[in-house]
Amino acid sequence: MHLESLEIAGFKSFPKKTSLEFTSPITGIVGPNGSGKSNIAEAFRFVLGEQSIKSLRGKRGEDMIWNGGGDSGGGTGGARANRASAKLVFDNRRKLFPSVDFDEVAIERVVYRDNTNEYLLNSSQVRLKDIVELLGSAHIGATGHHIISQGEADRILSASVRERRDMIEDALGLKVYQWKKVESLRKLERTEENMKQVESLRREIAPHIKFLKKQVEKAEKAEELRRELVAMYQDYFAREDGYISAEKARLGGELAGPKNELAELEAELERTKKIITGSKNKDAKGLEIVKLEGELDRSRTEKDSIVRELGRLEGEMAAHKRAIEREKEKQKREESKTVELLDVEEIVEKVASLEAVADAKALFKEVMDLLKSFVARHRAASGSAAIADLERDTSEVSHKHQGLEEKFRHLMGAEKELVREYNNLKSAVEKEKDTDREAEKDVFRIIARQNEIRNTVAVLTAGMNAIARAEENLKRELAEAGMVAGREAIQYTVLKLPHGPRSEQEERLRKIERNKVRLEDSGASGASEVMKEYKETEERDAFLARELVDLEKAKAELRSLIAELDLRIDHEFKTGISKINAEFQKFFTLMFGGGMARLEVVKEMRRKKKSETEELGSMLSADETMAEAEEGEGPEGLDVDVSLPRKKIKGLMMLSGGERALTSIALLFAVSQVNPPPFIILDETDAALDEANSKKYGDMIEDLSKHSQLILITHNRETMSRSGVLYGITMGSDGASKLLSIAFEEAMAVAK
Ligand code: ATP
């Protein structure tokens, strides 16, 4: 036996704490009409979490609470109570409630006048849901199929096919699975919602990833360009540096001899000139020679400096030319320049906001102005200006160059004249075989030799100048390279090997310039941040993708769990029905001495096809009431098919009141036999039975009490006689019910 006691206080007609001990398999409760017997059955319903107050014969929770006695005659009832409580105590030593570790389980419900409810499990407050689940695990269902209230004996017969199925499912202990199913459906919905959220998150970051990926590609391309540029620079610098040092050495070596000779000749010329000017017989010719020599020397010096300056200007022009080429290259790239979408949107917005402009022409002008300023803003305006500046500088330089060339030509003309005079003088002097002219002849010889060597020196010096310019350029290029391509670019090892023609180096430099422009153009700054953000965003996306896979898996698992539960419910329902039918037929035959009775699974018309979510929504809101959640989903219901022996009539509608009572008792007992609940409460189920049937009823009760504890509210003598314990309930003039434990003979008196 599992049920130990019921304790009520302030409940309906029981103002005082009243305790019923259930020490026998059959407990009878007797008493006159209106004494409060049915309130005991209701206390059971109440504590088991029955939600419909209506089925508890009261409209409000407040109706459950003792409302005060009607009589002043010193009764015990007195003032109305503020709370009603009922507590059921179970023996849990045989683990009726497997989830509770205590040997005793006390379930208590309290209702207050403000209609608030409390549920307690072994004195700790819990939720109604916990109680319902706990009871479900002990096969004490929420539909109360095991508590048959007064006049409700044929509830199972008068119920709709759907309700009947519900009762039977409850009795068969299938509600646990139904609950699991509802929970799984709820989880499924949450999972699907999560999936939607994750999917939308992924959709949101997808364009950002795409954008970042492009940025990263750009950065990678820029890095590739930079590496290329570094290699190009290193190659170029190695050759250039090698070339410059080699040339410097070569020219220096080649210049040494002629320079020495020139210095010697100069000294010799000075000596000779002194001889001429210091001689006693110096003449006009000799002086003329000295003068001419001086003039020629000055002219040559001037020519030298002009040549040097020309070389410098040419170098400058070449540098300008390269700069112009670079700017042009930049501009060419502008043609395919990418503009930020935000900027375009901004201009579109501006154009869109021009509606206030009066006529079409004015509007067109406004739009054009906007577009022009947009283009101007995005084109590197400095580009063309820089080219113009450079071109102006170049033309200035080339103008200077021309001027110098002119001067040079002029000097050449003047020199020619000097040379002519000098040659005349020379031939005149040479004709004179006079030894006195030895000094003059020496001057001619020296000058001729000087001319020869000077030409050589001039060529070599021009080379030296060119090298000096190349060295300056190299310095500039090195500084620029470090800035554009990083330190690596200027870490090279000088190439000592023979170098190719200069045009090849120039071509290399041109290529470098082109690459430099491309690199600058790629706007690869902040590459590492972009890389980091891209990595992070992609990791996040991968995480979301993994989560989606997990959710998909969870969804599939839930679906298969639901399908499994459906199968299980269906299987257990059908096998349960056939077991019930066997018992039903047995009890029915026992009662009527023959005939046929059985439950039949029938298809119920679907009310309306609800969508899955709607259905789920109603399940969620209906939280506690399974019946509603199931509506429209389970098309199968249960019909009762009966035919009485020796009678032609068939069907429930044709039964008399007594026959109906017997049939429902037979079904009730059949159900209880197949899946016995821990206790059954029957409130005057036997009221309509005649003596013969009362006897049969009594036999069946004894049979039933082997599996379930019975609490029988009755006026029936036969039923009383089968009870192991009898409680009498009386009501005093104060309207309060009183409980007394009595013997069978007393019971008969009390019941009257
Ligand atoms: P019967 O044999 O006729 O079925 P019964 O013994 O089952 O009678 P109940 O229906 O249990 O009697 O008791 C009803 C009594 O309880 C009524 O007298 C009713 O006034 C009383 N009652 C119900 N609710 C309250 C309440 N909140 N406060 C006080 N008395 C109440």
Side-chain angles (χ1 to χ4, degrees), residues 433-630:
K433 302 281 180 212
D434 188 345
T435 47
D436 278 353
R437 293 291 183 208
E438 269 319 299
E440 282 84 352
K441 280 180 193 159
D442 275 346
V443 170
F444 290 130
R445 181 185 51 79
I446 291 167
I447 286 177
R449 180 65 189 148
Q450 265 185 333
N451 264 349
E452 249 172 64
I453 298 171
R454 264 193 179 128
N455 279 338
T456 315
V457 170
V459 171
L460 291 173
T461 310
M464 271 300 212
N465 288 338
I467 286 299
R469 281 197 305 277
E471 210 170 6
E472 244 167 63
N473 280 343
L474 177 62
K475 254 188 224 159
R476 210 185 49 237
E477 297 291 353
L478 278 169
E480 226 179 86
M483 242 150 50
V484 176
R487 288 181 56 86
E488 288 165 81
I490 54 174
Q491 284 155 358
Y492 58 90
T493 26
V494 184
L495 210 61
K496 302 268 189 240
L497 294 165
H499 33 266
R502 287 299 283 162
S503 62
E504 278 177 11
Q505 270 297 77
E506 276 162 24
E507 185 51 33
R508 276 184 199 108
L509 194 57
R510 252 197 302 282
K511 277 186 184 155
I512 283 174
E513 290 294 351
R514 273 203 294 276
N515 248 26
K516 210 157 72 185
V517 170
R518 277 167 65 199
L519 178 61
E520 274 169 358
D521 234 39
S522 66
S525 61
S528 67
E529 280 111 275
V530 169
M531 209 67 116
K532 197 172 150 234
E533 202 188 337
Y534 176 64
K535 224 181 122 198
E536 277 170 6
T537 318
E538 234 197 10
E539 263 166 25
R540 176 152 170 67
D541 187 57
F543 170 76
L544 289 173
R546 276 198 304 277
E547 202 167 69
L548 212 54
V549 170
D550 288 350
L551 285 169
E552 194 71 64
K553 219 171 94 190
K555 188 175 149 181
E557 272 164 16
L558 282 168
R559 277 193 193 287
S560 80
L561 178 65
I562 290 165
E564 225 170 82
L565 284 168
D566 275 338
L567 265 175
R568 182 158 192 174
I569 290 167
D570 193 60
H571 174 74
E572 293 203 3
F573 179 68
K574 296 215 162 115
T575 51
I577 291 298
S578 62
K579 277 188 202 157
I580 288 171
N581 275 339
E583 294 294 322
F584 190 18
Q585 180 63 42
K586 203 178 86 193
F587 281 118
F588 192 83
T589 312
L590 205 78
M591 295 251 186
F592 293 101
M596 184 281 293
R598 64 188 181 102
L599 289 172
E600 219 173 4
V601 180
V602 291
K603 292 260 179 198
E604 191 196 36
M605 290 292 281
R606 251 175 220 246
R607 284 213 184 159
K608 81 171 190 214
K609 179 92 179 80
K610 289 181 184 176
S611 80
E612 199 180 342
T613 44
E614 249 182 329
E615 201 171 282
L616 206 61
S618 78
M619 270 184 206
L620 296 175
S621 61
D623 207 25
E624 321 292 351
T625 47
M626 286 292 302
E628 195 170 327
E630 290 298 300

Side-chain angles (χ1 to χ4, degrees), residues 685-703:
T685 321
D686 51 10
L689 305 182
D690 59 24
E691 230 183 285
N693 282 329
S694 290
K695 180 101 178 39
K696 287 177 193 161
Y697 179 80
D699 291 344
M700 283 193 281
I701 277 173
E702 271 185 37
D703 228 29

Side-chain angles (χ1 to χ4, degrees), residues 372-383:
K372 269 182 200 158
S373 76
F374 175 77
V375 170
R377 190 148 49 88
H378 285 282
R379 189 179 268 290
S382 55

Side-chain angles (χ1 to χ4, degrees), residues 10-14 31-40 42 57 62-68 150 683-684 713 715 729 731 735 737:
F11 187 84
K12 291 212 130 183
S13 59
F14 291 86
N33 290 135
S35 60
K37 301 186 297 294
S38 296
N39 290 344
I40 300 284
E42 275 175 38
R57 287 197 307 174
E62 214 184 338
D63 296 335
M64 295 298 109
I65 306 171
W66 162 248
N67 211 23
Q150 199 176 345
D683 190 350
E684 295 189 37
I713 297 169
H715 292 288
I729 297 192
M731 188 176 272
S737 301

Side-chain angles (χ1 to χ4, degrees), residues 353-372:
S353 67
L354 282 177
E355 52 193 342
V357 180
D359 57 312
K361 231 168 130 188
L363 178 71
F364 182 71
K365 192 187 164 304
E366 289 270 359
V367 172
M368 275 316 285
D369 285 351
L370 274 173
L371 291 177
K372 269 182 200 158

Side-chain angles (χ1 to χ4, degrees), residues 265-282:
L265 286 169
E266 193 59 43
E268 200 185 340
L269 187 64
E270 281 313 306
R271 277 198 307 277
T272 320
K273 276 185 339 196
K274 263 192 193 123
I275 291 170
I276 293 170
T277 48
S279 146
K280 287 165 265 168
N281 41 11
K282 57 182 172 199

Side-chain angles (χ1 to χ4, degrees), residues 402-450:
Q402 272 170 15
L404 280 177
E405 270 183 337
E406 186 60 38
K407 208 170 167 187
F408 189 76
R409 271 196 298 279
H410 185 75
L411 275 175
M412 289 284 277
E415 204 180 282
K416 240 187 196 160
E417 189 53 37
L418 286 174
V419 168
R420 202 175 51 75
E421 272 177 47
Y422 171 83
N423 282 339
N424 288 343
L425 208 58
K426 189 182 167 197
S427 49
V429 169
E430 271 174 356
K431 272 178 203 149
E432 297 174 30
K433 302 281 180 212
D434 188 345
T435 47
D436 278 353
R437 293 291 183 208
E438 269 319 299
E440 282 84 352
K441 280 180 193 159
D442 275 346
V443 170
F444 290 130
R445 181 185 51 79
I446 291 167
I447 286 177
R449 180 65 189 148
Q450 265 185 333

